Amino acid sequence: MIKKVGVLGAGQMGSGIAQVLAQRETEVYLYDIAEAQLSKAHAGIAKNLERQVQKGQLDAASVSQVMGMIRTTRSLNDLAGCDLAIEAVTEKEALKLEIFKKLDETLKPEAILASNTSSIPITRIAAVTGRPDRVIGMHFMNPVPVMKLVEVIRGLATSEETFQAISQLVTRLDKEMAVSADYPGFIVNRILIPMINEAAFALFEGIATAEDIDKAMKLGTNQPMGPLTLADFIGLDTCLAIMEVLYQGFKDPKYRPCPLLAKMVEAGYLGKKSGRGFYNYA
Ligand SMILES: NC(=O)c1ccc[n+]([C@@H]2O[C@H](COP(=O)([O-])OP(=O)(O)OC[C@H]3O[C@@H](n4cnc5c(N)ncnc54)[C@H](O)[C@@H]3O)[C@@H](O)[C@H]2O)c1
């Protein structure tokens, strides 16, 4: 039974993961190098819980109880007694490999080490540890408290026992699991990002306006928003980076990033976060 979990990285994803764990009576050690990120995450989680109270989804007395389950720390040694570590630091391979080496040295031998990576192979991460059978991918969706899905990625060496322990945890968190083998993009990004890339090609080739591409996909295929609007939300730089991972990973021209997408990223048109992407947010 997983009772104590270390969450590494207190950004968007790490703070959401810490929150859902704490709300399911799991003791959490939230680790980051930046003190400011830890305080921001702590305040953000408290605010989310307050919002749940206002909506009648949580009773007020539970807020302090949930907050009491979360300890923030800048020392990896505080994670030594954890049954599981979920890594959600910045998406940089060298950084993740370094962190997994340290986790392998710090956590007890039976502990499971999971990564929330969107694009780095779990098998490669597992190979730097002395426990590749106990390494697995847990790819949460953003925002974590709202989104139902966790993609669970089995590396080449991930054991059945590790997989079972993680699937039980996903159920306990009231999430749904989709299981993927360890290949670029896993399931969601393998399908979603090429669709966005194709929408960018449709615009690039003058097939239709951005508005009509989005309208066609939204009303014609019942998606909550069109692919170009969604790209602006995700960030065009992130979409391009994932296309590059698919292109490099499969060495298949069908994943060629759309030149327009690359050009927009060069221009600093990154979507909603920069004020301009396929649409103008100024
Ligand atoms: N944002 C998304 O929509 C999304 C969705 C699924 C998965 N992911 C993945 O989740 C991970 C985190 O993404 P995010 O959006 O939360 O990023 P973020 O930038 O919001 O947070 C990253 C955190 O990592 C911390 N960090 C950096 N170096 C560190 C170190 N050496 N030790 C400890 N902490 C360190 C930073 O201080 C920051 O708080 C990435 O692997 C990303 O690919 C992101």
Side-chain angles (χ1 to χ4, degrees), residues 8-15 17 31-38 40-41 73 76 87-92 95-96 98-99 102 115-120 138-144 189 233-234 238 242:
L8 296 101
Q12 283 190 77
M13 297 305 288
S15 58
I17 295 168
Y31 165 86
D32 204 290
I33 33 160
E35 187 60 52
Q37 285 294 93
L38 290 171
K40 195 174 150 197
T73 177
L76 210 56
E87 170 277 315
V89 303
T90 316
E91 188 78 349
K92 287 190 185 139
L95 172 62
K96 292 203 193 260
E98 190 54 46
I99 284 194
K102 282 193 200 148
S115 176
N116 185 50
T117 180
S118 311
S119 65
I120 300 162
M138 282 185 92
H139 188 217
F140 288 83
M141 306 290 129
N142 188 19
V144 180
N189 286 336
F233 270 98
I234 296 173
T238 303
I242 296 172

Side-chain angles (χ1 to χ4, degrees), residues 212-260:
D212 275 358
I213 291 167
D214 276 351
K215 190 194 220 177
M217 292 307 289
K218 196 177 153 186
L219 302 182
T221 70
N222 249 348
Q223 300 190 26
M225 62 177 92
L228 299 176
T229 304
L230 180 58
D232 277 357
F233 270 98
I234 296 173
L236 302 196
D237 50 344
T238 303
C239 293
L240 179 63
I242 296 172
M243 270 325 282
E244 289 288 0
V245 165
L246 295 174
Y247 188 51
Q248 298 303 332
F250 290 114
K251 306 272 188 291
D252 185 334
K254 83 173 176 185
Y255 298 111
R256 175 172 71 106
C258 173
L260 174 63

Side-chain angles (χ1 to χ4, degrees), residues 141-160:
M141 306 290 129
N142 188 19
V144 180
V146 176
M147 299 292 281
K148 266 280 179 198
L149 183 74
V150 182
E151 277 185 302
V152 174
I153 300 104
R154 304 180 76 143
L156 215 54
T158 307
S159 70
E160 184 58 27

Side-chain angles (χ1 to χ4, degrees), residues 42-234:
H42 198 266
I45 295 169
K47 203 170 151 194
N48 282 347
L49 296 176
E50 287 301 339
R51 213 175 291 140
Q52 290 183 9
V53 171
Q54 279 159 19
K55 287 186 186 163
Q57 296 164 341
L58 187 73
D59 62 282
S62 305
V63 174
S64 58
Q65 198 185 327
V66 173
M67 291 310 292
M69 300 300 285
I70 304 173
R71 261 163 264 186
T72 58
T73 177
R74 288 171 62 207
S75 164
L76 210 56
N77 287 332
D78 287 343
L79 275 59
C82 288
D83 308 305
L84 164 71
I86 304 176
E87 170 277 315
V89 303
T90 316
E91 188 78 349
K92 287 190 185 139
E93 184 171 322
L95 172 62
K96 292 203 193 260
L97 298 184
E98 190 54 46
I99 284 194
F100 271 79
K101 272 187 215 159
K102 282 193 200 148
L103 284 173
D104 192 32
E105 288 160 13
T106 311
L107 270 70
K108 54 190 177 187
E110 63 272 27
I112 296 174
L113 312 179
S115 176
N116 185 50
T117 180
S118 311
S119 65
I120 300 162
I122 298 302
T123 307
R124 194 179 298 164
I125 292 174
V128 302
T129 73
R131 61 179 97 186
D133 57 315
R134 313 214 120 239
V135 177
I136 195 164
M138 282 185 92
H139 188 217
F140 288 83
M141 306 290 129
N142 188 19
V144 180
V146 176
M147 299 292 281
K148 266 280 179 198
L149 183 74
V150 182
E151 277 185 302
V152 174
I153 300 104
R154 304 180 76 143
L156 215 54
T158 307
S159 70
E160 184 58 27
E161 197 188 348
T162 300
F163 173 71
Q164 289 302 336
I166 293 304
S167 41
Q168 279 166 22
L169 177 66
V170 171
T171 307
R172 203 169 95 209
L173 296 179
D174 199 23
K175 302 278 186 207
E176 292 287 335
M177 169 175 83
V179 186
S180 174
D182 185 24
Y183 289 96
F186 313 134
I187 304 168
V188 172
N189 286 336
R190 166 93 176 252
I191 298 170
L192 176 68
I193 304 298
M195 182 191 71
I196 286 174
N197 194 53
E198 201 58 34
F201 265 115
L203 181 67
F204 179 55
E205 292 169 10
I207 305 293
T209 62
E211 287 79 5
D212 275 358
I213 291 167
D214 276 351
K215 190 194 220 177
M217 292 307 289
K218 196 177 153 186
L219 302 182
T221 70
N222 249 348
Q223 300 190 26
M225 62 177 92
L228 299 176
T229 304
L230 180 58
D232 277 357
F233 270 98
I234 296 173

